[in-house]
Amino acid sequence: VVADIISTVEFNHTGELLATGDKGGRVVIFQREQEVSGEGWRVLQLSKNQVHRRGEYNVYSTFQSHEPEFDYLKSLEIEEKINKIRWLPQQNAAYFLLSTNDKTVKLWKVSERDKRPEGYNLKDEEGRLRDPATITTLRVPVLRPMDLMVEATPRRVFANAHTYHINSISVNSDYETYMSADDLRINLWNFEITNQSFNIVDIKPANMEELTEVITAAEFHPHHCNTFVYSSSKGTIRLCDMRASALCDRHTKFFEEPEDPSNRSFFSEIISSISDVKFSHSGRYIMTRDYLTVKVWDLNMENRPIETYQVHDYLRSKLCSLYENDCIFDKFECVWNGSDSVIMTGSYNNFFRMFDRNTKRDVTLEASRENSKPRAILKPRKVCVGGKRRKDEISVDSLDFSKKILHTAWHPSENIIAVAATNNLYIFQDKVN
Amino acid sequence: LAGGPGCNVCYGLVEDTQEKEGILPERAEEAKLKAKYPSLGQKPGGSDFLMKRLQKGVWGIISYPLSLDVLLCVDKIEGETSYFDSGDYNMAKAKMKNKQLPSAGPDKNLVTGDHIPTPQDLPQRKSSLVTSKLAGGQVE
């Protein structure tokens, strides 16, 4: 079912909750049960019927976040697909998250209810009004325990601020503001105010014929509430400081790797388009994902990345067909682990890759039911590019390009990862004693 | 796309083979693409994609189901006349009936063009088309 395709995955700040958004506009939140320990990368099969086991994630809440809309004035169909979910840090008993489709950002409150008042005077237990004439005594309603109910309510709707399609949202470290970015503009919002937002970046040219690049992703610095970055379709990243001016059209830093002109081809610009940008937890580095590589940049060095990792370089000889089937425009995300020592990103054939920045070792794993039984250890995979295919290797020509892992998430402090493979969610845990 | 010292760059076997021939894999792929689509624009994968990206979700006017009154559009074939819309058609019919121009009074047949219609005079409006294509919002 198309509506079930997962379009975003995000852990909250403690890792206790995991939210997924799908193409049908629904959000499903999973909650982790009690702690557990083990060893090796094991598979935790996700199923609603599963007996609750410690350390595993179970469905906590599910709700319809966005509905499809049609803008009649512009003849524009607005998809309900959830593009991004971002959690707010927890400040009270309730959980708050932002979810966005192409045009509208919503703040959702997810709260638990495990008590309910009983013994009303004016209505009976079913809620029907009592005939006042029959009321002869007064009683004080008391709170009685009830089965846990988790409710999600929309608390704010931030609409009508984006002409183009929203690709990113990012909660600021001040926890009072957040930004939303579309193809040409970035807006700054205050959580309390829905009818106004500040435009902080606008790259729309006066003449659309002169359009050469669009904004592809944006994120606030994890600690400095005045700093944010945004990436472009030309493979560049700009860092902006909001203290410099109200409109941050002039960047503070500009990150671009010089291209060897002799390497240029028709595909150069398309494959250099950055599909995701993420600050490291330390705030010192940014990671970018373009079609074939993941790069780590030091904020102090703008002229080239400090590390480049090849995700699936064998696709270089397939660019023609990847262009024809539109796969070349797939937007892969990338994530850091909690200590910024390992980075992860997805690929095709339900493969995903992890790169250890310290040991320089990398591994390719597969997220699929056929190849992993629950509690089994994931076997590393290998793609063979030459003629001689070893047993257990997959040849480039037999890769399934419809099975793409675009969205992954890493627990903020533990080695637990969530991998979205089309309409299946896999959660893997590295159980280390 | 080379990296600096200490970075993990591995090109694999493909490039080795291609490099022997002196052709970058991308260039070979580009040649393949241009052979298939000779009209492919000269701008290297630039603005066309951007404009398409910005236009995502926009319905062309043709496919937007509008609700209109009866719209007559008869193609001009030899000897036949074409009409712009139902009003035009009615006008022409009236003229053909030898100038039976409507008086200021209500005439239910001819309300277009010759006098200012009142709501009672207007023919029953067709009800709006159900925008069923858009109901689900999921057009693949």
Side-chain angles (χ1 to χ4, degrees):
Chain A
V1 181
V2 169
D4 289 340
I5 294 176
I6 299 170
S7 50
T8 184
V9 189
E10 185 83 353
F11 280 100
N12 75 340
H13 293 249
T14 59
E16 182 207 349
L17 299 179
L18 175 69
T20 62
D22 66 22
K23 205 157 188 257
R26 295 166 303 200
V27 172
V28 182
I29 302 176
F30 299 89
Q31 184 187 46
R32 191 180 187 196
E33 303 307 319
Q34 285 298 310
E35 283 290 313
V36 86
S37 57
E39 37 64 35
W41 283 99
R42 288 180 188 272
V43 177
L44 299 176
Q45 186 82 14
L46 215 65
S47 150
K48 279 184 198 166
N49 299 323
Q50 195 173 31
V51 170
H52 290 206
R53 271 184 274 239
R54 294 171 0 133
E56 294 180 356
Y57 285 81
N58 299 292
V59 179
Y60 177 67
S61 169
T62 165
F63 56 93
Q64 185 77 34
S65 172
H66 287 71
E67 298 276 359
E69 290 172 61
F70 193 81
D71 182 336
Y72 292 94
L73 224 58
K74 298 175 187 168
S75 282
L76 175 66
E77 182 183 352
I78 302 168
E79 267 192 290
E80 67 276 34
K81 170 168 78 86
I82 308 294
N83 292 336
K84 285 279 160 34
I85 289 174
R86 290 287 182 266
W87 291 92
L88 270 69
Q90 198 174 4
Q91 289 172 311
N92 54 36
Y95 301 104
F96 287 88
L97 61 82
L98 284 176
S99 72
T100 187
N101 69 348
D102 281 337
K103 295 285 179 178
T104 305
V105 185
K106 294 187 184 180
L107 176 70
W108 286 89
K109 175 181 177 182
V110 183
S111 49
E112 295 182 3
R113 197 200 290 244
D114 61 357
K115 297 188 241 307
R116 69 152 182 256
E118 282 178 22
Y120 282 108
N121 290 291
L122 297 177
K123 44 185 183 174
D124 63 22
E125 295 311 315
E126 274 87 57
R128 289 182 300 234
L129 287 174
R130 290 170 69 189
D131 177 3
T134 64
I135 300 170
T136 52
T137 57
L138 275 182
R139 56 187 175 174
V140 178
V142 291
L143 289 175
R144 291 251 149 75
M146 60 180 258
D147 287 340
L148 180 66
M149 198 168 78
V150 182
E151 353 174 76
T153 44
R155 302 300 289 171
R156 304 273 187 277
V157 177
F158 305 92
N160 304 319
H162 286 279
T163 306
Y164 303 99
H165 299 99
I166 298 174
N167 52 56
S168 312
I169 45 175
S170 179
V171 179
N172 205 348
S173 52
D174 62 11
Y175 305 153
E176 284 185 6
T177 57
Y178 76 93
M179 69 157 134
S180 55
D182 68 32
D183 292 318
L184 298 178
R185 298 189 178 103
I186 303 181
N187 295 329
L188 180 72
W189 301 85
N190 180 300
F191 281 109
E192 298 304 314
I193 301 169
T194 58
N195 61 358
Q196 233 182 72
S197 70
F198 286 106
N199 176 244
I200 52 176
V201 173
D202 187 340
I203 65 167
K204 183 176 181 199
N207 179 3
M208 284 299 270
E209 301 285 313
E210 292 162 9
L211 182 71
T212 54
E213 63 182 332
V214 296
I215 297 169
T216 53
E219 197 182 46
F220 268 118
H221 190 282
H223 316 306
H224 304 309
C225 57
N226 53 282
T227 305
F228 65 92
V229 291
Y230 68 92
S231 57
S232 87
S233 53
K234 275 184 153 175
T236 64
I237 308 102
R238 288 170 178 81
L239 183 143
C240 300
D241 186 333
M242 296 196 288
R243 296 171 300 188
S245 66
L247 186 61
C248 298
D249 272 358
R250 284 161 46 152
H251 53 261
T252 304
K253 286 188 192 245
F254 182 68
F255 299 85
E256 183 179 35
E257 182 170 25
E259 187 197 13
D260 181 356
S262 64
N263 284 347
R264 192 142 182 93
S265 75
F266 173 82
F267 304 107
S268 297
E269 190 169 318
I270 304 174
I271 62 174
S272 71
S273 175
I274 292 173
S275 49
D276 195 14
V277 66
K278 292 267 172 48
F279 271 101
S280 62
H281 291 89
S282 62
R284 207 185 136 187
Y285 304 103
I286 47 176
M287 167 169 53
T288 58
R289 174 70 154 98
D290 52 60
Y291 192 60
L292 298 176
T293 72
V294 185
K295 295 178 180 167
V296 177
W297 306 73
D298 186 320
L299 284 192
N300 298 314
M301 186 161 77
E302 300 168 55
N303 61 352
R304 58 178 179 79
I306 55 168
E307 294 154 32
T308 298
Y309 300 96
Q310 300 296 327
V311 182
H312 38 216
D313 198 63
Y314 45 77
L315 295 184
R316 230 173 257 276
S317 55
K318 295 259 169 229
L319 291 177
C320 178
S321 49
L322 291 170
Y323 176 88
E324 289 180 290
N325 61 21
D326 273 354
C327 283
I328 205 175
F329 300 104
D330 284 337
K331 298 187 183 62
F332 292 93
E333 291 171 8
C334 54
V335 288
W336 298 87
N337 74 338
S339 57
D340 299 334
S341 59
V342 184
I343 57 184
M344 173 170 70
T345 189
S347 178
Y348 294 104
N349 211 74
N350 281 347
F351 287 169
F352 57 100
R353 305 260 285 136
M354 281 190 212
F355 303 92
D356 188 317
R357 299 177 60 216
N358 300 323
T359 65
K360 299 303 175 196
R361 292 211 323 249
D362 63 83
V363 68
T364 304
L365 299 169
E366 181 176 357
S368 82
R369 251 182 250 267
E370 295 84 43
N371 294 315
S372 17
K373 301 189 188 79
R375 319 235 144 249
I377 296 181
L378 284 181
K379 208 172 54 170
R381 319 293 286 162
K382 192 151 163 63
V383 177
C384 138
V385 289
K388 289 165 269 189
R389 188 180 77 90
R390 284 196 212 106
K391 187 185 121 156
D392 279 358
E393 283 186 356
I394 319 262
S395 99
V396 184
D397 298 308
S398 43
L399 292 175
D400 188 343
F401 291 99
S402 68
K403 294 187 180 164
K404 48 193 99 176
I405 292 181
L406 304 173
H407 314 288
T408 58
W410 204 308
H411 188 287
S413 51
E414 296 185 37
N415 280 344
I416 300 173
I417 57 175
V419 175
T422 318
N423 49 3
N424 292 310
L425 179 71
Y426 293 86
I427 299 181
F428 301 111
Q429 184 164 354
D430 181 20
K431 297 176 166 194
V432 185
N433 277 323
Chain B
L1 291 155
C7 95
N8 183 16
V9 178
C10 40
Y11 283 103
L13 295 167
V14 174
E15 209 189 69
D16 289 342
T17 340
Q18 302 280 37
E19 268 189 324
K20 283 178 193 148
E21 299 163 17
I23 311 167
L24 271 179
E26 302 100 285
R27 289 275 174 73
E29 291 296 298
E30 181 176 0
K32 245 194 259 177
L33 195 66
K34 294 235 160 104
K36 276 192 184 179
Y37 309 101
S39 61
L40 206 55
Q42 285 313 300
K43 346 176 220 187
S47 304
D48 290 340
F49 306 113
L50 297 183
M51 291 314 291
K52 212 169 90 164
R53 179 187 178 131
L54 298 179
Q55 289 292 304
K56 170 199 159 199
V58 176
W59 285 65
I61 298 301
I62 291 169
S63 54
Y64 176 38
L66 292 172
S67 130
L68 295 172
D69 282 332
V70 176
L71 189 73
L72 262 185
C73 186
V74 180
D75 277 338
K76 197 170 185 109
I77 304 165
E78 284 186 33
E80 291 203 29
T81 21
S82 67
Y83 306 94
F84 177 69
D85 61 13
S86 57
D88 194 21
Y89 177 71
N90 287 329
M91 283 278 290
K93 259 181 65 173
K95 280 174 185 149
M96 285 194 307
K97 278 183 189 167
N98 258 339
K99 321 301 192 270
Q100 282 273 332
L101 293 173
S103 56
D107 184 333
K108 297 238 186 272
N109 291 328
L110 290 165
V111 294
T112 47
D114 285 314
H115 77 273
I116 297 165
T118 58
Q120 300 92 290
D121 300 339
L122 290 174
Q124 269 300 316
R125 194 170 179 275
K126 266 195 173 172
S127 58
S128 296
L129 291 170
V130 173
T131 52
S132 57
K133 253 202 284 195
L134 309 167
Q138 292 182 15
V139 178
E140 298 305 317

